[in-house]
Amino acid sequence: MVLYLDGRRRYLTRVKRGSTLHTHKGYLAHDDLIGKAFGSPIQSSLGARFVALKPTLRDYLRKLARRTQVMYPKDMALLLVYANIGPGARVVEAGTGSGALTSLLAFYVKPEGRVYSYETHGEFLETARRNLERTGLLEFVTLKEGDVTQGIEETQVDAVVLDLATPWLVVPYAFKALKPSGAFASFSPTIEQVVKTVEVLNHHGFVDLETVECMTRRYQVERGRTRPETLAVAHTGYLTFGRKAVSQHGE
Amino acid sequence: MVLYLDGRRRYLTRVKRGSTLHTHKGYLAHDDLIGKAFGSPIQSSLGARFVALKPTLRDYLRKLARRTQVMYPKDMALLLVYANIGPGARVVEAGTGSGALTSLLAFYVKPEGRVYSYETHGEFLETARRNLERTGLLEFVTLKEGDVTQGIEETQVDAVVLDLATPWLVVPYAFKALKPSGAFASFSPTIEQVVKTVEVLNHHGFVDLETVECMTRRYQVERGRTRPETLAVAHTGYLTFGRKAVSQHGE
Amino acid sequence: MVLYLDGRRRYLTRVKRGSTLHTHKGYLAHDDLIGKAFGSPIQSSLGARFVALKPTLRDYLRKLARRTQVMYPKDMALLLVYANIGPGARVVEAGTGSGALTSLLAFYVKPEGRVYSYETHGEFLETARRNLERTGLLEFVTLKEGDVTQGIEETQVDAVVLDLATPWLVVPYAFKALKPSGAFASFSPTIEQVVKTVEVLNHHGFVDLETVECMTRRYQVERGRTRPETLAVAHTGYLTFGRKAVSQHGE
Amino acid sequence: MVLYLDGRRRYLTRVKRGSTLHTHKGYLAHDDLIGKAFGSPIQSSLGARFVALKPTLRDYLRKLARRTQVMYPKDMALLLVYANIGPGARVVEAGTGSGALTSLLAFYVKPEGRVYSYETHGEFLETARRNLERTGLLEFVTLKEGDVTQGIEETQVDAVVLDLATPWLVVPYAFKALKPSGAFASFSPTIEQVVKTVEVLNHHGFVDLETVECMTRRYQVERGRTRPETLAVAHTGYLTFGRKAVSQHGE
């Protein structure tokens, strides 16, 4: 359940009988939350008015993002739509990390599609597994300990999605794994990663290449005081896309 | 089929025996396209090298966007993820227009979800119906001639999504139509539309309000010549989100 | 003197015999700074390498900006050039505040020009006077306690420059104060201030109206790690410009 | 004289007895313009209402920019202030091009300062000379045919300002030409130019390095219809700054 206080403060919590949520605006007894309809108001011990909301995918992403992730929901959203990933798609993803992007992909390929998520660090996989279980999305994901710069086992996939340090090393394996016309998508914080990746994509016959940056700006909206917020995240990373073309005589 | 020439030129075409695609780089006989595997190269009469690609959702959106639409795929992507719309969701949308956003919503709520799309202009509905048929998404959509500023017939929906001139007039009906905790999302080109809508959302007890602008910038990537493209669309519109909260005694 | 350590740390200090500059990288005795050539390296007590730099206008602005100012050097730079303010110009400015914009204007109109700077709060004027003395620019400025929403005493000025809450109230007096063809320029954080000001400018016969926002993004530049900085100031304010037109029969 | 019609249309013209200015809104006889006060309205033969304005520096820049220039007034403004260039400064500039940046620099260093502007193409120098004569700024400029990647003749200058393809080749000569603590500033469209230049600046002991991009967005301001303009120039170039530090034993 999300306990929403205001634009800056929200608490994603798993309701457990006997537990208590402590906030600097007072505490809330979990027992009072049980059976509460989503959307209902809840008063804290200090009288602050919270609203009980149903957690969204983005609420989970917000939580995961506090840790290692640099990709933001804005980037994931663009990646999803630009790489044509939707219900039923089979997608290879690497690296898994805390499972934030994995969750988003699983949320959108379900119920028929599947995400094959590779991670070289076994300990990250355990964290990701727990996060995916919590969001109920684990059944749509195959978590794999492995290094996509050495190879990809799946074939005929609809998309290969990368958030790792050396995406250019994965391009040949992504080419083999993809269906013809399938989508390659990569997220990179630095411009040098982009340049190398685009060079290798061109070399391997990917077409429809595109590199794009997505920036968002939030607004304070209030009659007479409307303006963009002062501080913003000015850069997370660049997104690079391509699609697999094949030669006349097959691949 | 999409016939892709380069970053600026692509042709979305329905392959028909006996037809010809004329481009300024020569023509292509549709008969040569039949049975062609996606990803394959095709030569035009003038020797230009095209690649046959499977149309993506975004290819269709690009086509539709040439007409009346101001919302771009970047905006639709953000709206989708921020409003937590995914497979299985029931969504009310207005106005239908040419069906671009309708297509994207249907693509992502399928196969279990449904889009109820309202439009006041009957002639737009016919265009939208043809476009949705073409993309195979019509079965997930209910097209309705009607004015959401007068009322919404559906109830317990997961999201209400607006791209129309007076979103603030729809807020009371969106509140009734939504499940508690459900998402309101609205796209508006001008800041005055945003201010009015946010005022009415606050008045009707929506919480978790957020107004955000999404800007993208494409890059020319080529070692030694890497830079953002010179011209860009600097503004399409603002996205405003909120979630339905309910009072202690129901709505 | 500026003691520059790195991109994030610099110290603007007035060198005084016997004084000491304390930093978290050790201290520097002012006596060692005396007679030091600009550009020279200086070691702190802990061995950190500082460089002695000559203070620039922007170093002073940085110092002043720590207090009340929302206008950034980027905004002042645009204002300066777009309002055609250069050496020899006579400029009315309000409000003075800590004197940051006043300093910049004085720096650029000297030696023949003059800045008439109005401030309603007498205590701000004292701060501004000290700051202008320190930068050696006071002789080009007339500091005036007064309210430009009630009137402007100067006439035939080249530009009227505003950074205050209600710029629209000043428009009629700016019109009287300006030479024909002279420039009006106003900085406002909110869009509602802009809309009101533009309406009144139109009403009073100003032409060549323009509202513009200036955004900057700094880069981390290092081969293999080049990228925009993560956080940025996403909004300071909008700049609105206009020029005085006159009717056939004079003003 | 500038004949201003509206936000999109203005005509910078030299008034000559007997001449006629033709616009698609009718013509204006130059004889009617003679003796006209700045700010006055003028009717065209078709009844369109123009306003006679005094040309500003930016009006001239607009004119020059139509030709070869990629640097915009926004970039020049930032460069001016960030490089601490003001009245009295001695500045080396290259390449001259059509003289747009030269004009801005001359405008701001006058009357005591001087711009030494290098250009390898003699034919550009002639164009620049005519443009500078027209704006009355030629007396503050020394135009030089020469290649700054081979050397700079001036010494003890306050700033070296570059808008050319290989700024990194100029860094050693800029170092010699500058006063200690003096400013280096360079404008480059591509990121690879920036990376190379920053590397060489670091190597030659420049400090206070900074790379920044300046983006502007214009607004359509009208109550009920206020919004950023749809299209914008999304990229002109990156600005890189540094300041000369010296070793203990001189340079």
Side-chain angles (χ1 to χ4, degrees), chain D residues 218-241:
Chain D
R218 286 166 54 108
Y219 281 72
Q220 165 188 308
V221 179
E222 192 186 332
R223 194 175 291 271
R225 307 180 64 178
T226 305
R227 45 166 295 172
E229 293 188 354
T230 300
L231 281 175
V233 170
H235 182 72
T236 52
Y238 305 98
L239 289 164
T240 296
F241 299 93

PDB file of all heavy atoms in Angstrom, chain D residues 218-241:
ATOM      1  N   ARG D 218      11.518  30.259 -26.864  1.00  0.00           N
ATOM      2  CA  ARG D 218      10.649  31.427 -26.928  1.00  0.00           C
ATOM      3  C   ARG D 218       9.216  31.034 -26.592  1.00  0.00           C
ATOM      4  O   ARG D 218       8.801  29.923 -26.871  1.00  0.00           O
ATOM      5  CB  ARG D 218      10.682  32.038 -28.329  1.00  0.00           C
ATOM      6  CG  ARG D 218      11.969  32.780 -28.632  1.00  0.00           C
ATOM      7  CD  ARG D 218      12.082  33.063 -30.115  1.00  0.00           C
ATOM      8  NE  ARG D 218      10.901  33.743 -30.599  1.00  0.00           N
ATOM      9  CZ  ARG D 218      10.854  35.023 -30.956  1.00  0.00           C
ATOM     10  NH1 ARG D 218      11.938  35.760 -30.906  1.00  0.00           N
ATOM     11  NH2 ARG D 218       9.738  35.562 -31.396  1.00  0.00           N
ATOM     12  N   TYR D 219       8.473  31.983 -26.048  1.00  0.00           N
ATOM     13  CA  TYR D 219       7.093  31.715 -25.667  1.00  0.00           C
ATOM     14  C   TYR D 219       6.116  32.537 -26.488  1.00  0.00           C
ATOM     15  O   TYR D 219       6.388  33.700 -26.803  1.00  0.00           O
ATOM     16  CB  TYR D 219       6.874  32.026 -24.175  1.00  0.00           C
ATOM     17  CG  TYR D 219       7.394  30.930 -23.305  1.00  0.00           C
ATOM     18  CD1 TYR D 219       8.764  30.744 -23.155  1.00  0.00           C
ATOM     19  CD2 TYR D 219       6.547  30.033 -22.669  1.00  0.00           C
ATOM     20  CE1 TYR D 219       9.271  29.702 -22.389  1.00  0.00           C
ATOM     21  CE2 TYR D 219       7.040  28.995 -21.898  1.00  0.00           C
ATOM     22  CZ  TYR D 219       8.398  28.835 -21.768  1.00  0.00           C
ATOM     23  OH  TYR D 219       8.890  27.798 -21.012  1.00  0.00           O
ATOM     24  N   GLN D 220       5.005  31.914 -26.797  1.00  0.00           N
ATOM     25  CA  GLN D 220       3.842  32.638 -27.279  1.00  0.00           C
ATOM     26  C   GLN D 220       3.071  33.036 -26.029  1.00  0.00           C
ATOM     27  O   GLN D 220       2.628  32.170 -25.276  1.00  0.00           O
ATOM     28  CB  GLN D 220       3.015  31.703 -28.157  1.00  0.00           C
ATOM     29  CG  GLN D 220       1.604  32.184 -28.443  1.00  0.00           C
ATOM     30  CD  GLN D 220       0.800  31.100 -29.152  1.00  0.00           C
ATOM     31  OE1 GLN D 220       1.220  30.556 -30.159  1.00  0.00           O
ATOM     32  NE2 GLN D 220      -0.359  30.766 -28.595  1.00  0.00           N
ATOM     33  N   VAL D 221       2.955  34.351 -25.790  1.00  0.00           N
ATOM     34  CA  VAL D 221       2.303  34.802 -24.561  1.00  0.00           C
ATOM     35  C   VAL D 221       1.006  35.508 -24.909  1.00  0.00           C
ATOM     36  O   VAL D 221       1.015  36.547 -25.571  1.00  0.00           O
ATOM     37  CB  VAL D 221       3.214  35.749 -23.758  1.00  0.00           C
ATOM     38  CG1 VAL D 221       2.505  36.222 -22.491  1.00  0.00           C
ATOM     39  CG2 VAL D 221       4.533  35.062 -23.415  1.00  0.00           C
ATOM     40  N   GLU D 222      -0.091  34.935 -24.475  1.00  0.00           N
ATOM     41  CA  GLU D 222      -1.408  35.502 -24.756  1.00  0.00           C
ATOM     42  C   GLU D 222      -2.367  34.795 -23.811  1.00  0.00           C
ATOM     43  O   GLU D 222      -2.432  33.558 -23.813  1.00  0.00           O
ATOM     44  CB  GLU D 222      -1.778  35.195 -26.212  1.00  0.00           C
ATOM     45  CG  GLU D 222      -2.950  35.956 -26.718  1.00  0.00           C
ATOM     46  CD  GLU D 222      -3.345  35.497 -28.127  1.00  0.00           C
ATOM     47  OE1 GLU D 222      -2.465  35.020 -28.880  1.00  0.00           O
ATOM     48  OE2 GLU D 222      -4.547  35.569 -28.440  1.00  0.00           O
ATOM     49  N   ARG D 223      -3.057  35.542 -23.003  1.00  0.00           N
ATOM     50  CA  ARG D 223      -3.910  34.945 -21.968  1.00  0.00           C
ATOM     51  C   ARG D 223      -4.797  33.833 -22.560  1.00  0.00           C
ATOM     52  O   ARG D 223      -5.513  34.050 -23.529  1.00  0.00           O
ATOM     53  CB  ARG D 223      -4.785  36.013 -21.314  1.00  0.00           C
ATOM     54  CG  ARG D 223      -5.435  35.554 -20.013  1.00  0.00           C
ATOM     55  CD  ARG D 223      -6.191  36.678 -19.341  1.00  0.00           C
ATOM     56  NE  ARG D 223      -5.305  37.717 -18.815  1.00  0.00           N
ATOM     57  CZ  ARG D 223      -4.788  37.696 -17.582  1.00  0.00           C
ATOM     58  NH1 ARG D 223      -5.082  36.708 -16.763  1.00  0.00           N
ATOM     59  NH2 ARG D 223      -3.987  38.666 -17.189  1.00  0.00           N
ATOM     60  N   GLY D 224      -4.706  32.665 -22.003  1.00  0.00           N
ATOM     61  CA  GLY D 224      -5.503  31.532 -22.463  1.00  0.00           C
ATOM     62  C   GLY D 224      -4.827  30.724 -23.557  1.00  0.00           C
ATOM     63  O   GLY D 224      -5.320  29.668 -23.947  1.00  0.00           O
ATOM     64  N   ARG D 225      -3.710  31.229 -24.076  1.00  0.00           N
ATOM     65  CA  ARG D 225      -3.028  30.522 -25.168  1.00  0.00           C
ATOM     66  C   ARG D 225      -1.518  30.495 -24.963  1.00  0.00           C
ATOM     67  O   ARG D 225      -0.753  30.372 -25.914  1.00  0.00           O
ATOM     68  CB  ARG D 225      -3.349  31.200 -26.503  1.00  0.00           C
ATOM     69  CG  ARG D 225      -4.843  31.347 -26.733  1.00  0.00           C
ATOM     70  CD  ARG D 225      -5.148  32.013 -28.042  1.00  0.00           C
ATOM     71  NE  ARG D 225      -4.703  31.225 -29.166  1.00  0.00           N
ATOM     72  CZ  ARG D 225      -4.864  31.548 -30.442  1.00  0.00           C
ATOM     73  NH1 ARG D 225      -5.468  32.693 -30.738  1.00  0.00           N
ATOM     74  NH2 ARG D 225      -4.435  30.786 -31.399  1.00  0.00           N
ATOM     75  N   THR D 226      -1.084  30.641 -23.729  1.00  0.00           N
ATOM     76  CA  THR D 226       0.349  30.780 -23.445  1.00  0.00           C
ATOM     77  C   THR D 226       1.062  29.437 -23.477  1.00  0.00           C
ATOM     78  O   THR D 226       0.645  28.490 -22.824  1.00  0.00           O
ATOM     79  CB  THR D 226       0.527  31.455 -22.072  1.00  0.00           C
ATOM     80  OG1 THR D 226      -0.180  32.688 -22.081  1.00  0.00           O
ATOM     81  CG2 THR D 226       1.995  31.683 -21.770  1.00  0.00           C
ATOM     82  N   ARG D 227       2.146  29.375 -24.219  1.00  0.00           N
ATOM     83  CA  ARG D 227       2.888  28.125 -24.392  1.00  0.00           C
ATOM     84  C   ARG D 227       4.218  28.411 -25.088  1.00  0.00           C
ATOM     85  O   ARG D 227       4.357  29.404 -25.781  1.00  0.00           O
ATOM     86  CB  ARG D 227       2.082  27.153 -25.253  1.00  0.00           C
ATOM     87  CG  ARG D 227       1.471  27.808 -26.489  1.00  0.00           C
ATOM     88  CD  ARG D 227       0.998  26.771 -27.462  1.00  0.00           C
ATOM     89  NE  ARG D 227       2.141  26.044 -27.949  1.00  0.00           N
ATOM     90  CZ  ARG D 227       2.090  24.953 -28.708  1.00  0.00           C
ATOM     91  NH1 ARG D 227       0.927  24.468 -29.044  1.00  0.00           N
ATOM     92  NH2 ARG D 227       3.182  24.351 -29.115  1.00  0.00           N
ATOM     93  N   PRO D 228       5.181  27.525 -24.903  1.00  0.00           N
ATOM     94  CA  PRO D 228       6.418  27.671 -25.660  1.00  0.00           C
ATOM     95  C   PRO D 228       6.126  27.522 -27.146  1.00  0.00           C
ATOM     96  O   PRO D 228       5.161  26.846 -27.533  1.00  0.00           O
ATOM     97  CB  PRO D 228       7.276  26.493 -25.179  1.00  0.00           C
ATOM     98  CG  PRO D 228       6.696  26.097 -23.867  1.00  0.00           C
ATOM     99  CD  PRO D 228       5.224  26.381 -23.978  1.00  0.00           C
ATOM    100  N   GLU D 229       6.954  28.128 -27.983  1.00  0.00           N
ATOM    101  CA  GLU D 229       6.792  27.931 -29.413  1.00  0.00           C
ATOM    102  C   GLU D 229       7.103  26.482 -29.754  1.00  0.00           C
ATOM    103  O   GLU D 229       7.870  25.812 -29.071  1.00  0.00           O
ATOM    104  CB  GLU D 229       7.707  28.889 -30.180  1.00  0.00           C
ATOM    105  CG  GLU D 229       7.268  30.336 -29.979  1.00  0.00           C
ATOM    106  CD  GLU D 229       8.030  31.317 -30.863  1.00  0.00           C
ATOM    107  OE1 GLU D 229       8.972  30.881 -31.547  1.00  0.00           O
ATOM    108  OE2 GLU D 229       7.674  32.506 -30.858  1.00  0.00           O
ATOM    109  N   THR D 230       6.469  25.987 -30.807  1.00  0.00           N
ATOM    110  CA  THR D 230       6.592  24.577 -31.140  1.00  0.00           C
ATOM    111  C   THR D 230       8.008  24.190 -31.541  1.00  0.00           C
ATOM    112  O   THR D 230       8.592  23.257 -30.986  1.00  0.00           O
ATOM    113  CB  THR D 230       5.611  24.216 -32.272  1.00  0.00           C
ATOM    114  OG1 THR D 230       4.287  24.509 -31.809  1.00  0.00           O
ATOM    115  CG2 THR D 230       5.705  22.737 -32.628  1.00  0.00           C
ATOM    116  N   LEU D 231       8.544  24.884 -32.501  1.00  0.00           N
ATOM    117  CA  LEU D 231       9.878  24.536 -32.993  1.00  0.00           C
ATOM    118  C   LEU D 231      10.940  25.412 -32.357  1.00  0.00           C
ATOM    119  O   LEU D 231      10.710  26.579 -32.091  1.00  0.00           O
ATOM    120  CB  LEU D 231       9.953  24.707 -34.510  1.00  0.00           C
ATOM    121  CG  LEU D 231       9.346  23.572 -35.317  1.00  0.00           C
ATOM    122  CD1 LEU D 231       9.385  23.919 -36.792  1.00  0.00           C
ATOM    123  CD2 LEU D 231      10.109  22.272 -35.069  1.00  0.00           C
ATOM    124  N   ALA D 232      12.114  24.853 -32.122  1.00  0.00           N
ATOM    125  CA  ALA D 232      13.216  25.647 -31.603  1.00  0.00           C
ATOM    126  C   ALA D 232      14.522  25.113 -32.154  1.00  0.00           C
ATOM    127  O   ALA D 232      14.606  23.961 -32.580  1.00  0.00           O
ATOM    128  CB  ALA D 232      13.241  25.606 -30.083  1.00  0.00           C
ATOM    129  N   VAL D 233      15.526  25.974 -32.149  1.00  0.00           N
ATOM    130  CA  VAL D 233      16.882  25.514 -32.415  1.00  0.00           C
ATOM    131  C   VAL D 233      17.337  24.784 -31.165  1.00  0.00           C
ATOM    132  O   VAL D 233      17.458  25.370 -30.097  1.00  0.00           O
ATOM    133  CB  VAL D 233      17.797  26.708 -32.728  1.00  0.00           C
ATOM    134  CG1 VAL D 233      19.254  26.263 -32.773  1.00  0.00           C
ATOM    135  CG2 VAL D 233      17.390  27.318 -34.051  1.00  0.00           C
ATOM    136  N   ALA D 234      17.515  23.471 -31.296  1.00  0.00           N
ATOM    137  CA  ALA D 234      17.818  22.643 -30.132  1.00  0.00           C
ATOM    138  C   ALA D 234      19.307  22.589 -29.840  1.00  0.00           C
ATOM    139  O   ALA D 234      19.720  22.231 -28.751  1.00  0.00           O
ATOM    140  CB  ALA D 234      17.298  21.237 -30.359  1.00  0.00           C
ATOM    141  N   HIS D 235      20.116  22.918 -30.830  1.00  0.00           N
ATOM    142  CA  HIS D 235      21.560  22.868 -30.602  1.00  0.00           C
ATOM    143  C   HIS D 235      22.277  23.791 -31.573  1.00  0.00           C
ATOM    144  O   HIS D 235      22.031  23.756 -32.772  1.00  0.00           O
ATOM    145  CB  HIS D 235      22.092  21.451 -30.798  1.00  0.00           C
ATOM    146  CG  HIS D 235      23.569  21.334 -30.531  1.00  0.00           C
ATOM    147  ND1 HIS D 235      24.092  21.405 -29.262  1.00  0.00           N
ATOM    148  CD2 HIS D 235      24.626  21.185 -31.358  1.00  0.00           C
ATOM    149  CE1 HIS D 235      25.418  21.282 -29.333  1.00  0.00           C
ATOM    150  NE2 HIS D 235      25.757  21.147 -30.582  1.00  0.00           N
ATOM    151  N   THR D 236      23.143  24.632 -31.036  1.00  0.00           N
ATOM    152  CA  THR D 236      24.066  25.390 -31.880  1.00  0.00           C
ATOM    153  C   THR D 236      25.477  24.869 -31.601  1.00  0.00           C
ATOM    154  O   THR D 236      26.158  24.443 -32.521  1.00  0.00           O
ATOM    155  CB  THR D 236      23.954  26.896 -31.598  1.00  0.00           C
ATOM    156  OG1 THR D 236      24.100  27.119 -30.192  1.00  0.00           O
ATOM    157  CG2 THR D 236      22.618  27.433 -32.054  1.00  0.00           C
ATOM    158  N   GLY D 237      25.879  24.862 -30.339  1.00  0.00           N
ATOM    159  CA  GLY D 237      27.203  24.362 -30.017  1.00  0.00           C
ATOM    160  C   GLY D 237      27.456  24.395 -28.523  1.00  0.00           C
ATOM    161  O   GLY D 237      26.621  24.866 -27.742  1.00  0.00           O
ATOM    162  N   TYR D 238      28.598  23.877 -28.144  1.00  0.00           N
ATOM    163  CA  TYR D 238      29.035  23.869 -26.753  1.00  0.00           C
ATOM    164  C   TYR D 238      30.038  24.999 -26.542  1.00  0.00           C
ATOM    165  O   TYR D 238      30.856  25.284 -27.419  1.00  0.00           O
ATOM    166  CB  TYR D 238      29.712  22.543 -26.423  1.00  0.00           C
ATOM    167  CG  TYR D 238      28.877  21.332 -26.724  1.00  0.00           C
ATOM    168  CD1 TYR D 238      29.042  20.614 -27.906  1.00  0.00           C
ATOM    169  CD2 TYR D 238      27.915  20.888 -25.822  1.00  0.00           C
ATOM    170  CE1 TYR D 238      28.271  19.499 -28.187  1.00  0.00           C
ATOM    171  CE2 TYR D 238      27.143  19.766 -26.089  1.00  0.00           C
ATOM    172  CZ  TYR D 238      27.325  19.068 -27.280  1.00  0.00           C
ATOM    173  OH  TYR D 238      26.558  17.964 -27.546  1.00  0.00           O
ATOM    174  N   LEU D 239      30.007  25.613 -25.377  1.00  0.00           N
ATOM    175  CA  LEU D 239      30.977  26.638 -25.009  1.00  0.00           C
ATOM    176  C   LEU D 239      31.924  26.076 -23.960  1.00  0.00           C
ATOM    177  O   LEU D 239      31.479  25.526 -22.949  1.00  0.00           O
ATOM    178  CB  LEU D 239      30.263  27.869 -24.452  1.00  0.00           C
ATOM    179  CG  LEU D 239      29.494  28.690 -25.480  1.00  0.00           C
ATOM    180  CD1 LEU D 239      28.516  29.626 -24.779  1.00  0.00           C
ATOM    181  CD2 LEU D 239      30.456  29.502 -26.349  1.00  0.00           C
ATOM    182  N   THR D 240      33.221  26.213 -24.201  1.00  0.00           N
ATOM    183  CA  THR D 240      34.218  25.735 -23.248  1.00  0.00           C
ATOM    184  C   THR D 240      35.071  26.907 -22.771  1.00  0.00           C
ATOM    185  O   THR D 240      35.527  27.705 -23.586  1.00  0.00           O
ATOM    186  CB  THR D 240      35.106  24.662 -23.912  1.00  0.00           C
ATOM    187  OG1 THR D 240      34.287  23.542 -24.231  1.00  0.00           O
ATOM    188  CG2 THR D 240      36.220  24.205 -22.972  1.00  0.00           C
ATOM    189  N   PHE D 241      35.232  26.981 -21.454  1.00  0.00           N
ATOM    190  CA  PHE D 241      35.987  28.077 -20.847  1.00  0.00           C
ATOM    191  C   PHE D 241      37.145  27.559 -20.003  1.00  0.00           C
ATOM    192  O   PHE D 241      37.071  26.460 -19.451  1.00  0.00           O
ATOM    193  CB  PHE D 241      35.070  28.909 -19.933  1.00  0.00           C
ATOM    194  CG  PHE D 241      33.927  29.531 -20.644  1.00  0.00           C
ATOM    195  CD1 PHE D 241      32.689  28.892 -20.715  1.00  0.00           C
ATOM    196  CD2 PHE D 241      34.082  30.753 -21.278  1.00  0.00           C
ATOM    197  CE1 PHE D 241      31.626  29.459 -21.391  1.00  0.00           C
ATOM    198  CE2 PHE D 241      33.014  31.332 -21.963  1.00  0.00           C
ATOM    199  CZ  PHE D 241      31.792  30.683 -22.020  1.00  0.00           C
TER     200      PHE D 241
END
